[in-house]
Amino acid sequence: MPRILAALLAGFGLALIPLAPMASAADEPAARVTRIVLAREAGRTVLTLYPDEHGQNRDGVLLLPIPGEIEASSGESVDGAAIDRLDVATMPRPVAEGTCTPPPESAPALAPDVSGDGRGPDSYYDIKIFSPADTGMIERSLVERHVVLSPASRTTLAGYQKQRMNFVLVGRVANRLPVRPSSPPPALRIVYKSKNFMLPIRLNGNDRPQEWLIFALTRHGRVEAANYLTVKIQGDLELSPLTLHDFAKFHQSLFDRASHHGRSRAIVLEFAGSLSDCPHYFSQPLTAGTLGYLSAAGQPSGNGAEPDIFVTRLHIRYERRYFPEDLLFNETRDRAPFVARYPVRQPLGDRAGCRGERPARSADALEDTPLYYELLFGGR
Amino acid sequence: MESSCNREPFIRWNDARHFQLLAQGVLLVGIASRLDFGPSPSACLLLTAGALITQIAGSCFYRLPRLDLRSALVTGLSLTLLLRADVWWVYPLAGALAIASKFVIRMRGRHLYNPSNFAIVTLLLLSDHVWISPGQWGDSLWILALLTLLSCQVLQKVGRLDIALFFLAGHAFLLSGRTLWLQDPWAIPFHQLQNGNLLLFSFFMITDPKTTPAGRSGRLLYALIVAALSYWLAFFEGVYPALLYGLALLSPTVPLLDYWFPPGSGFIRTRPVLQHAG
């Protein structure tokens, strides 16, 4: 009997194997990066995003399933400069060898509840919140915004409706977005009672890859995916000045190599750390105030001290065939810092490096690897 | 009085635990070599040391007729594969908790909880220093886990493959039902089934002969109830890791199932199972 059962089980398991998606050389590069800040505390999630980065159609309409009760404070606008600062401060970057990144300095104050040019969110975004009872109105609202759901999107929406989720529909108010580069549109804050998170529904059924940056702000430690593999980007390479000229391509190659994990794809960790443990890991002035502004706390704690927030930067190239299930994030207690900094090899001069830092591997060590040739000859 | 700690020969090659140890060793090497956030060698040493020392102490304290370290070793390696912590002292504590539960929490001559399951759930509830990483398995490691654990079960011949199969079938049935209800793509339940932690749970935890019903009917019922409770915890209550909590909550019901469905009774005939899992 056990042998028969084992054979059945083996058949069952092996039957699953071919269903794993095959890697394809025709993987399309993502068009642009979409950024989301996820702050979690006590079963509550604060989601901050640029709606304009998410709109997958001409009218920039975004439909976000929310797996918990939406709090009244949702819909506030957030100074988009805070997301930009967080992005720049945690991105993989080249550094001049022998120099240390200076600790954060003071930065201009962030506007508490308005956008960069002083206008409120209603000036930019048309926001509608649907409770589980009135999700039947979603399609009509989409039609009013000239969005026609694809069959696949309609099925996805129906699935979320059966799970009795709330929805946030964000549209762009015509001709109101600022045209001056110095005044970016505000980001939007959504607060809800759940630890889970859903990606926006692809309204037009577009299956092209999307590039996501998720910044998790937590109290305890690093955040990882609970239902997908999380890996680190290689962060200990020394750059030659030649490579420095095309650092974006270098970074993309490293990301591709890290995220391709057999026949599946992994989520790539690009930064982990907190201002209290490793302030010099942040590249730009990033203050505890900025993190508090973006986090669930929002305000300093009762004793006036800023909360100690741990930042995790996760990079995902999202494709439905590799990430069929909604992302589930797990907050660990791991506070070990990680930063992807690449010292640039100097032909002359001081190469002492920062005290206490591990010496980087030379990019020369990669001479025989495809990556090296990709960097040199643009093979990708 | 002669000490009871050194009477029996340690090595008996046809013991199922040897196959379990071999399977765990293969998985441990696979994880440690492939993952960025896998277990460290020091964690493995501390966990197994905590388990072994507690096993020796418990065997001597309760004057057991023989000292057998293999179960403790299996438990230590199971914990190494599953548990993560940010402070070193949690590891020996976890090993000690797991083995101590075998000596202390007993009913009708059997321990009530699977040792690894008890230690993980207790620490998740009481400590702020531990977590588990269910997403740590990529495709290649999942296939390695499937083949290794399956080989282990086939080779050991006896054991409780039936309960693993009952549980996996129940789990797959519920996931498929959810997929049909939501009209989700089938890639979702297949992805959910391709998880190394699920395999470890199915082959090393719920198959523990000492903490599962003795009769096959009872085992079938138990496996299906664990699958249903875990499903409810995960999808309706948002509790993770649902499988571990589900098993811990239902372990105390095993004596009842043994009473209602003793071996040889019920709707499925049973056969004796002698070996012990960690």
Side-chain angles (χ1 to χ4, degrees):
Chain A
M1 183 67 175
R3 285 168 191 265
I4 297 170
L5 295 178
L8 283 173
L9 193 58
F12 166 77
L14 294 173
L16 294 178
I17 295 171
L19 289 165
M22 299 294 292
S24 162
D27 287 354
E28 295 177 49
R32 57 181 176 181
V33 176
T34 305
R35 297 173 294 178
I36 281 190
V37 181
L38 273 178
R40 267 191 193 174
E41 192 180 27
R44 178 171 168 266
T45 299
V46 177
L47 195 64
T48 309
L49 48 86
Y50 270 128
D52 208 37
E53 288 181 344
H54 293 258
Q56 297 141 29
N57 45 55
R58 202 174 47 191
D59 297 314
V61 177
L62 165 73
L63 182 61
L64 195 63
I66 302 291
E69 183 190 339
I70 300 175
E71 295 189 3
S73 58
S74 295
E76 287 178 350
S77 63
V78 174
D79 193 338
I83 298 182
D84 296 339
R85 275 182 214 168
L86 183 59
D87 185 4
V88 172
T90 58
M91 64 172 46
R93 58 191 181 271
V95 292
E97 196 176 43
T99 63
C100 288
T101 308
E105 300 163 359
S106 61
L110 295 162
D113 192 25
V114 291
S115 69
D117 64 355
R119 291 188 289 178
D122 294 346
S123 305
Y124 298 97
Y125 304 121
D126 173 17
I127 303 164
K128 280 201 169 186
I129 293 176
F130 297 90
S131 68
D134 53 20
T135 51
M137 310 286 287
I138 292 176
E139 281 213 50
R140 191 191 302 173
S141 298
L142 286 170
V143 170
E144 287 170 5
R145 288 161 181 76
H146 315 291
V147 175
V148 179
L149 284 174
S150 68
S153 307
R154 187 171 285 116
T155 306
T156 306
L157 174 63
Y160 286 130
Q161 285 172 324
K162 284 178 185 168
Q163 296 175 67
R164 300 195 58 76
M165 291 204 182
N166 298 281
F167 291 86
V168 174
L169 178 64
V170 184
R172 188 190 296 159
V173 176
N175 303 322
R176 293 287 182 84
L177 285 174
V179 292
R180 290 173 294 130
S182 58
S183 59
L188 194 64
R189 174 179 287 166
I190 297 162
V191 188
Y192 58 91
K193 291 190 177 85
S194 173
K195 291 190 295 183
N196 294 338
F197 155 71
M198 310 289 164
L199 290 172
I201 295 175
R202 295 184 175 210
L203 298 172
N204 52 10
N206 182 355
D207 262 350
R208 282 181 305 177
Q210 280 181 304
E211 204 102 357
W212 292 84
L213 280 176
I214 294 182
F215 302 93
L217 308 181
T218 49
R219 292 297 176 95
H220 296 295
R222 178 176 56 80
V223 167
E224 63 184 15
N227 51 351
Y228 295 101
L229 183 64
T230 306
V231 299
K232 286 178 183 172
I233 197 168
Q234 190 165 2
D236 58 352
L237 292 172
E238 191 180 69
L239 295 185
S240 70
L242 177 69
T243 313
L244 183 62
H245 288 304
D246 205 352
F247 181 75
K249 194 169 180 180
F250 169 76
H251 169 235
Q252 195 63 44
S253 297
L254 287 183
F255 170 76
D256 287 345
R257 200 158 71 159
S259 65
H260 284 53
H261 211 269
R263 294 189 301 175
S264 59
R265 295 290 179 271
I267 294 171
V268 179
L269 177 79
E270 292 188 333
F271 183 92
S274 71
L275 278 174
S276 62
D277 295 340
C278 46
H280 60 285
Y281 273 29
F282 294 85
S283 72
Q284 296 290 319
L286 182 75
T287 61
T290 304
L291 293 180
Y293 178 77
L294 286 169
S295 76
Q299 301 292 329
S301 55
N303 58 9
E306 298 288 355
D308 182 22
I309 294 167
F310 196 91
V311 180
T312 308
R313 177 188 174 110
L314 296 169
H315 190 167
I316 306 164
R317 179 168 298 148
Y318 183 81
E319 289 181 79
R320 196 188 296 271
R321 59 183 167 155
Y322 296 123
F323 299 96
E325 190 186 7
D326 280 315
L327 299 170
L328 280 174
F329 291 113
N330 180 32
E331 182 184 358
T332 71
R333 268 54 184 170
D334 179 13
R335 291 186 72 87
F338 171 74
V339 64
R341 286 188 303 188
Y342 308 96
V344 181
R345 191 189 314 150
Q346 302 294 333
L348 294 169
D350 180 20
R351 300 184 60 179
C354 294
R355 193 165 56 173
E357 289 186 358
R358 217 160 47 125
R361 281 177 57 197
S362 167
D364 294 340
L366 293 177
E367 271 185 17
D368 293 332
T369 69
L371 173 68
Y372 186 80
Y373 290 103
E374 284 163 17
L375 291 172
L376 276 181
F377 305 118
R380 224 181 158 76
Chain B
M1 180 179 289
E2 185 182 346
S3 166
S4 62
C5 296
N6 51 4
R7 285 182 182 169
E8 294 291 325
F10 183 77
I11 300 296
R12 191 157 55 89
W13 290 109
N14 60 351
D15 192 298
R17 285 165 292 192
H18 297 146
F19 293 111
Q20 289 183 334
L21 287 170
L22 186 65
Q24 288 174 318
V26 169
L27 290 179
L28 209 50
V29 170
I31 284 187
S33 61
R34 295 272 296 170
L35 298 185
D36 288 335
F37 302 107
S40 65
S42 58
C44 181
L45 284 176
L46 289 167
L47 273 165
T48 46
L52 292 175
I53 290 169
T54 311
Q55 180 72 39
I56 293 169
S59 299
C60 293
F61 183 79
Y62 287 99
R63 299 183 187 283
L64 298 187
R66 51 184 286 214
L67 171 66
D68 194 336
L69 297 178
R70 285 165 293 192
S71 293
L73 204 52
V74 167
T75 300
L77 293 182
S78 284
L79 287 168
T80 307
L81 286 166
L82 292 168
L83 191 70
R84 303 282 180 273
D86 66 335
V87 285
W88 68 269
W89 53 263
V90 166
Y91 291 120
L93 176 64
L97 264 177
I99 300 302
S101 75
K102 284 202 317 183
F103 289 107
V104 177
I105 309 174
R106 301 179 71 84
M107 186 177 284
R108 300 170 74 179
R110 299 165 71 187
H111 54 272
L112 210 53
Y113 291 96
N114 172 269
S116 312
N117 181 243
F118 177 83
I120 294 173
V121 168
T122 304
L123 288 170
L124 283 173
L125 289 174
L126 301 181
S127 164
D128 212 19
H129 295 285
V130 298
W131 72 94
I132 66 163
S133 293
Q136 68 184 335
W137 305 82
D139 265 8
S140 51
L141 281 176
W142 177 81
I143 292 169
L144 175 71
L146 175 70
L147 296 179
T148 307
L149 295 174
L150 201 57
S151 309
C152 170
Q153 289 290 325
V154 172
L155 286 173
Q156 73 185 40
K157 294 181 184 175
V158 293
R160 295 208 165 162
L161 183 60
D162 58 356
I163 194 169
L165 190 65
F166 292 151
F167 170 75
L168 284 173
H171 190 65
F173 176 79
L174 289 168
L175 293 177
S176 304
R178 180 179 172 82
T179 300
L180 287 172
W181 175 54
L182 297 176
Q183 293 182 284
D184 277 342
W186 284 98
I188 292 181
F190 284 122
H191 171 75
Q192 289 164 336
L193 289 170
Q194 291 176 10
N195 184 291
N197 276 17
L198 173 67
L199 293 179
L200 282 180
F201 177 85
S202 306
F203 289 108
F204 281 162
M205 280 194 183
I206 202 170
T207 46
D208 181 351
K210 292 287 174 59
T211 59
T212 49
R216 185 162 278 167
S217 302
R219 288 203 293 275
L220 169 63
L221 200 59
Y222 184 66
L224 298 182
I225 295 172
V226 170
L229 179 64
S230 306
Y231 178 88
W232 179 74
L233 287 174
F235 292 108
F236 290 90
E237 298 300 320
V239 173
Y240 299 98
L243 294 177
L244 300 182
Y245 283 121
L247 184 63
L249 283 170
L250 288 171
S251 290
T253 65
V254 170
L256 275 178
L257 289 172
D258 274 339
Y259 177 75
W260 288 330
F261 302 99
S265 73
F267 38 90
I268 305 178
R269 287 182 61 198
T270 188
R271 55 178 293 176
V273 176
L274 303 173
Q275 304 299 339
H276 170 74

